[in-house]
Amino acid sequence: MLKLLRKIVQTGRVTGTVPLDAGPRPSLLLNAAHPLRGSVQIRQVDAGSCNGCETEFAAAFGPVYDVERFGVRLVASPRHADALVVTGPVTRNMAVPLVKTFEATPGPKLVIALGDCARDCGVFAGGYGVAGSVADVVPVDVEIPGCPPTPDDIVASLRRVVGR
Amino acid sequence: MIGGALALAAGAALFAIAVGAVLPVRQRVVWVGLFTALCAGAGGVAAAAVLAGGNTFTADFPDLFPLGGVRIEFDALSAIFVLATAVVAVPAAIYGIGYSARGPSSRPAQVAWPLLVWGVMMVPAAGNVTGLIAFWELMALSSFVLVLAEHHHNPEARTAAQWYASMTHLSLLTIVLALAVLAHQAGGDSFTAIRAGTDHIGPTTATVVFLLSLVGFGAKAGVAPLHVWLPRAHPEAPSHVSALMSGAMVALGVYGLIRVGWDLLGGGPTWWGATVLAVGLVSAMFGILHALISSDLKRLLAYSTTENMGLVFIGVGAAGMFASSGNQPLASVALAASMLLVVNHAAFKGLLFLGAGSILSATGTRDLDRLGGLARRMPVTAATFAVGSLAIAALPPLNGFVSEWLLLQSLVHSLPSNAAVVAVAMPVAVAVVALTGGLAAATFVKAFGTTFLALPRTVEADQAHESPRTMQIGLIALAGVCVALALAPTALAAPLQRVSLAVGGLADGRPIHTNGVYLQLSGIEAGLSPLLLATGLAVMMVAVLVVVRRGRLRRTVRDIPAWGCGRTVQTARMEYTATSFAEPLQRVFDDVLHPEIDIDVDHRTESRHYVQAIRYRMHIRDGFEHRLYLPVLSVVRRWGDGARRVQNGSIHRYLAYSLITLIVVLVVSR
Ligand code: SF4
């Protein structure tokens, strides 16, 4: 207990600042009147990734990058979500579930393709189990490039999406 | 008028018995049903006349039996129980026409049914010990026949009947003992004579009589720990019979207890009431916990009967405690609450059992985990079952709420009490009543949801059809009674006052004042208007509906399937079942319920790391049965085995016994 308290005191604040213009710029910036501006609830869908993207994405929600302070939150069901973050190339097994998830998400909604695989199948392009990129299956609004994108990139992109 | 109605009831019952014995099967079920309904209706009219007019009806049949006559004494206390019987028996009899045509149409069953209805109605009408015992046994025997009615294709019915017969005769034995001692000490067989002779009864005798009758009548009422027959017998009996047994017959246990304890004996020390209250508390909690985890629909309803009788016992016990500690007005309110609960329980439990019967005859199963999706296939059953579920969960605006409210009011307002027992017992009682209310809501959400909503889980449920017209009439009539009792319990204010005046030892006064709309309790700053409450709720619901509709019109609406984690195939096997619904609450009460859980894992032969099949079995035993009855039964069995060594069926040995006896007698009497 004491050890833990000492650790907390010694470590202090670890959350860094991420400049808005770091990393690649996503194509979409929600305008001031957009209903999702300021708060976006995200459901993450792994459509067949190598899990590299997930690791970085999870890091973005950790104490160091802490993207939640910008109004981006993870939720457990597409019914609660405003946006889907899809990683990986869409494998044949995940194509139907992805469409179902997209349908289950109430509008207005965004689809964010995270990582090179999600954008254009990356290193998996042409694989026998790959159905295509995310854009081949559901309409994509935002792309975040990188293999995998760094948490800095992810936070910056998401900040531009929520506009905070 | 009252005499005429009672005579008509007896005549109709006799006629129904006669046609049940002679007519061929098709006409038999129709005529038996109609005349049984007439019998119950006539009884109901007599009861209503007594409750409305306030006069008592008496009649003597001195030479009916060789050893003693039967006296009829029909006062307000009798009348409220006869009214409760009529409320459930008339619809049940009409329902029985359609139900019996597909099920229990045999002669014994059709003869026993009018006998049971008449017996249940005449028990409270009996005005002397002989009459009470005669009608009691009539009721017990005819219901026993009916529990066995479907034993040909249902072997479970036989064990159920054995339990029922033993418990019911244990009950009869103690009642006969109690009443015989009472009649002997008071010097008379009729209730009037006993009341007049209570001065000759010492406190010890009174206590013995009270305790014996608590055991006897408690066993009939199905309160813990004497309830063991109830969750066995009620599911196995034909459903309209279960409705009557659960709605009206068990309530006679309460009748008997009040009649003997507080009318004939004129009440006793505070611990009488406290004992009844304690029994009620245990039964209410125990009953609702087992109802919650039960996945057999009729068993669930049977356990919920134990719970409701527990609540009635809480009311009666509280009334007894208030009366002994000198708070008569509050005692009247508590008594009124339990009497109202008896009438309400007859209506909603009757309705639910009839609904369960509809489901059973449409699908052939009572297992909630094998039902589902019946709302679309059986709309009348679904709607009426919903009314019954709301009522039994004591949710406003239905009738269960009014009686629960009254009960809680009487318990809560006892708090500034000078008697220590009262001050300790009442908060506990309030907590238990509140907890059972919550658990009852969960139980009936489960019962209704898994039966009627979502997708059918089996082919049988998928192919279910709505029941025949006669059964629907029974269901709709009882749902109507529930709604009427919910909107106008004020109509029962004056009758409840008469009941409370009839029980001199418990209460005197006017428990409820009313101006037709408001219920105002005597001595308590509390009022309720069920009518206004219902209207308010209805207005609010309509308002919400309108707002939602208008909102829908302005938005674009997409219709998409329910979210199932993106699965490509979804089947009814993936639905929430009754067992899984109850699981979280069952975990909370694990320490009380002690579930036995077996998990068998089969591995593939190639490798231990690959699982082939997992079998999960969970079984929850009735704690009282397991720890109280089975040890006693095993001792009895051991004695029986011992006796078998002496009496082993060999004629030679019996001849030897006779010879030895003869020699001994000769030697001794030489
Ligand atoms: S983009 Fe790179 S890290 Fe992300 S899923 Fe594809 S291969 Fe893995």
Side-chain angles (χ1 to χ4, degrees), chain A residues 48-54 87-89 114-118 121-124 146-149:
Chain A
S49 98
C50 76
N51 277 176
C53 287
E54 269 79 20
T87 55
L114 178 68
D116 286 345
C117 287
C121 300
V123 292
F124 300 110
C147 178

Side-chain angles (χ1 to χ4, degrees), chain B residues 454-477:
Chain B
L455 298 175
R457 293 183 181 81
T458 49
V459 188
E460 291 79 24
D462 193 25
Q463 290 169 350
H465 289 291
E466 186 56 278
S467 315
R469 220 23 84 69
T470 40
M471 286 165 72
Q472 293 182 25
I473 293 175
L475 288 168
I476 294 172

Side-chain angles (χ1 to χ4, degrees), chain A residues 78-79 96-97 100-101 103-105, chain B residues 558 560-563 566-568:
Chain A
R79 285 277 195 252
V96 175
K100 286 194 167 208
T101 314
E103 278 172 357
T105 314
Chain B
R558 282 186 298 142
I560 53 156
W563 171 241
R567 270 184 219 105
T568 34

Side-chain angles (χ1 to χ4, degrees), chain B residues 24-38:
Chain B
V25 67
R26 271 173 175 240
Q27 288 93 327
R28 189 194 299 157
V29 291
V30 176
W31 290 105
V32 166
L34 288 178
F35 276 91
T36 311
L38 177 64

